[in-house]
Amino acid sequence: MKNTLSRRERVKLANRKAILSAAEEVFAQKGFYAATTDEIAERAEFSKGALYTYFRSKEEIFLSLMREKVGSLEKKIKESIKVTLNPIEGIENLIKAHLEFFEENKEFFQIMASERGRFEMGIKNRLRRELMRRFQSYLKEVEGVMKAAVDNKELKAIDPNHLAIALIGMIHSFTAQWILTGGESSLMELSPVITMLFFGGAKG
Amino acid sequence: MKNTLSRRERVKLANRKAILSAAEEVFAQKGFYAATTDEIAERAEFSKGALYTYFRSKEEIFLSLMREKVGSLEKKIKESIKVTLNPIEGIENLIKAHLEFFEENKEFFQIMASERGRFEMGIKNRLRRELMRRFQSYLKEVEGVMKAAVDNKELKAIDPNHLAIALIGMIHSFTAQWILTGGESSLMELSPVITMLFFGGAKG
DNA sequence: TCTAAAACTGACCAATTGGTCAAACATAAC
DNA sequence: GTTATGTTTGACCAATTGGTCAGTTTTAGA
């Protein structure tokens, strides 16, 4: 069973994905504002007019893309935590899951790093509100594991919010550096260093 | 003694600073591409034409601003390290210096966070090359303290580059969060948490 | 006060770009 | 083959914006 969609609907969906994928590259390379709908259309091998039958505006392309990516990041993180009841192991898995996700979604990471500070702009926009909601939800997820580990006395009695900020900061920093230096070697290889530094600190 | 500059020259210099300061706000709020020279001119209380007697292009405004800011960040970091010969204390001072600088230069931090991934664009540009050189130099400075501390056996035998990435990531992450939540309370207050987490890790 | 140079203004220009739409094309059912 | 419906095209439009420059104002020294 393919599924319940007609041929037409399946083609539409595949085209939509192709457009979002092209947009991801362009947004990552140029940033939201400097990216042009012409270039997105060209890379997706459609005319500009066709783009606008799939999405109502450039902003809708951007927000749809980000919403889907943030959603799947959150899903991946949730799953990585759920496989164990041990909070320490949960955090280890969470680090690995992040690195794996960013390695597979380099462009998304670049977009997020560059546009995160402007998510709040135009708060009235329905899609923007939903994007922010999902992003918050992802952060709360990380904070939740930290709280569990603190309650368990497995981590120091530090504000779980601070613990989450610290770990995410380290992960982002390593990922950004990995991208700047070409993104060739595997990002996952850094998982042990990050784990060790986060849990044990740098002092010898 | 005021200095050796004529009244005219002093006014010119002050105006230049005012333009850069206006540009800093606009670039921070809108990003490089979406910032308009009209808005920069308006905020600096000049006509657009006058802007172009101070700078040759929008890009030159941007790069001049960033070059000066990265330069003074590097200077501050260097000084914070130099006051002590003890590497651990040096790193503590470095954390404080970072937080102090970002607290006083919120806009610069926002610009850096959002445009860092595109510094490399147009590498042929002289100003761009110089900006990158200064930025590398700043990173090397941080790496240098880490290496000293590792050689001293005060930190674990970890690649100093990794140690620098981890610490800077934590600092950036806390700063970004502080800005997102309004930037009201003092960022410096977070210095003990960061210091403790970096040296001692999260494990209880 | 007079003058020449420096500084400033803002209308203007050319290029870019998000978005539209009438016409052309493709598809599928009969 | 015909027709109706859905899809695509790309020329086009209006708005925006980086940058210019002829003309005006300000400055400072004589």
Side-chain angles (χ1 to χ4, degrees):
Chain A
M1 181 202 77
K2 278 259 170 162
N3 53 30
T4 65
L5 297 169
S6 70
R7 165 170 167 71
R8 262 209 156 88
E9 288 167 319
R10 271 180 286 127
V11 170
K12 267 261 157 190
L13 220 67
N15 289 347
R16 199 189 118 98
K17 263 184 106 168
I19 291 168
L20 287 181
S21 171
E24 192 178 358
E25 292 174 30
V26 182
F27 284 135
Q29 196 175 109
K30 308 274 177 80
F32 173 75
Y33 208 90
T36 67
T37 51
D38 277 318
E39 190 175 349
I40 295 171
E42 196 183 2
R43 285 219 208 185
E45 300 186 273
F46 282 99
S47 72
K48 184 152 65 164
L51 271 205
Y52 282 86
T53 68
Y54 288 87
F55 299 95
R56 270 201 276 281
S57 66
K58 179 176 157 182
E59 190 180 27
E60 191 182 304
I61 298 177
F62 178 77
L63 294 174
S64 300
L65 170 65
M66 295 306 280
R67 187 188 47 191
E68 290 176 22
K69 288 288 174 180
V70 172
S72 59
L73 170 60
E74 191 196 353
K75 190 166 157 247
K76 177 157 197 148
I77 298 311
K78 261 189 174 142
E79 280 166 6
S80 78
I81 294 164
K82 222 185 288 174
V83 298
T84 170
L85 289 179
N86 176 350
I88 296 289
E89 215 177 305
I91 293 169
E92 277 182 46
N93 290 342
L94 178 145
I95 292 171
K96 282 185 206 150
H98 269 94
L99 297 177
E100 201 172 82
F101 189 85
F102 291 146
E103 183 155 1
E104 284 165 1
N105 294 276
K106 220 173 17 170
E107 286 85 7
F108 164 72
F109 177 85
Q110 289 176 285
I111 299 170
M112 208 190 59
S114 140
E115 308 290 343
R116 171 85 178 86
R118 272 180 282 283
F119 276 3
E120 282 79 0
M121 271 179 41
I123 201 83
K124 295 182 197 161
N125 183 316
R126 202 195 95 248
L127 289 173
R128 246 173 222 283
R129 271 210 311 278
E130 201 197 327
L131 174 57
M132 281 183 58
R133 198 184 52 63
R134 288 202 192 203
F135 202 84
Q136 291 302 326
S137 166
Y138 148 69
L139 292 176
K140 283 291 167 203
E141 203 63 45
V142 178
E143 211 176 303
V145 202
M146 296 297 176
K147 183 164 167 18
V150 169
D151 290 346
N152 249 20
K153 314 260 190 225
E154 308 218 50
L155 294 187
K156 295 192 178 97
I158 296 175
D159 182 345
N161 181 40
H162 288 166
L163 290 167
I165 292 170
L167 179 57
I168 288 178
M170 282 177 50
I171 291 171
H172 282 201
S173 191
F174 276 98
T175 305
Q177 197 60 29
W178 171 72
I179 289 174
L180 277 176
T181 55
E184 294 302 336
S185 65
S186 173
L187 180 58
M188 290 286 287
E189 285 168 14
L190 294 170
S191 161
V193 191
I194 297 175
T195 304
M196 176 176 138
L197 278 173
F198 178 70
F199 285 122
K203 212 170 220 160
Chain B
M1 183 199 77
K2 279 260 169 157
N3 53 28
T4 65
L5 297 169
S6 70
R7 166 170 167 68
R8 259 207 157 90
E9 288 167 320
R10 269 182 285 126
V11 169
K12 266 262 157 189
L13 220 67
N15 288 347
R16 198 190 118 97
K17 263 184 106 166
I19 291 168
L20 287 181
S21 170
E24 192 177 357
E25 292 174 30
V26 182
F27 284 136
Q29 197 174 109
K30 308 276 177 77
F32 173 75
Y33 208 91
T36 68
T37 51
D38 277 318
E39 189 175 349
I40 294 171
E42 197 184 3
R43 285 218 207 184
E45 299 186 277
F46 282 100
S47 70
K48 184 152 62 163
L51 269 205
Y52 281 86
T53 68
Y54 288 87
F55 299 95
R56 269 200 278 279
S57 66
K58 178 177 157 181
E59 190 180 28
E60 191 182 304
I61 298 177
F62 179 76
L63 293 174
S64 300
L65 170 66
M66 295 306 279
R67 188 188 47 190
E68 290 177 22
K69 288 290 176 180
V70 172
S72 60
L73 170 60
E74 190 196 353
K75 188 165 158 248
K76 178 156 198 152
I77 298 311
K78 261 188 175 142
E79 280 166 6
S80 79
I81 294 165
K82 224 185 290 178
V83 298
T84 171
L85 289 179
N86 175 350
I88 296 289
E89 214 176 303
I91 293 168
E92 276 183 46
N93 290 342
L94 179 145
I95 292 170
K96 281 185 205 149
H98 268 96
L99 296 177
E100 204 173 79
F101 189 86
F102 291 146
E103 182 154 2
E104 284 165 1
N105 294 276
K106 223 178 7 177
E107 286 86 5
F108 164 71
F109 177 85
Q110 290 176 282
I111 299 170
M112 210 190 59
S114 139
E115 309 289 343
R116 171 87 179 84
R118 272 180 282 285
F119 277 2
E120 282 79 0
M121 271 180 41
I123 201 83
K124 295 183 197 163
N125 184 316
R126 201 195 95 249
L127 289 171
R128 246 172 221 282
R129 270 210 312 279
E130 201 197 327
L131 173 57
M132 282 181 59
R133 200 184 51 65
R134 287 202 192 204
F135 202 85
Q136 290 303 324
S137 165
Y138 148 69
L139 292 176
K140 283 291 166 199
E141 205 62 45
V142 178
E143 211 177 303
V145 203
M146 297 297 175
K147 183 164 164 23
V150 169
D151 289 347
N152 250 19
K153 316 260 188 222
E154 308 217 52
L155 294 187
K156 295 193 178 98
I158 295 175
D159 181 346
N161 181 41
H162 287 166
L163 290 167
I165 292 171
L167 179 56
I168 288 178
M170 281 176 51
I171 292 171
H172 283 200
S173 191
F174 276 99
T175 305
Q177 196 59 28
W178 171 72
I179 290 174
L180 277 176
T181 57
E184 294 302 337
S185 65
S186 173
L187 180 58
M188 290 285 287
E189 285 168 15
L190 295 170
S191 162
V193 192
I194 296 175
T195 304
M196 176 176 140
L197 279 174
F198 178 70
F199 285 123
K203 212 168 219 160

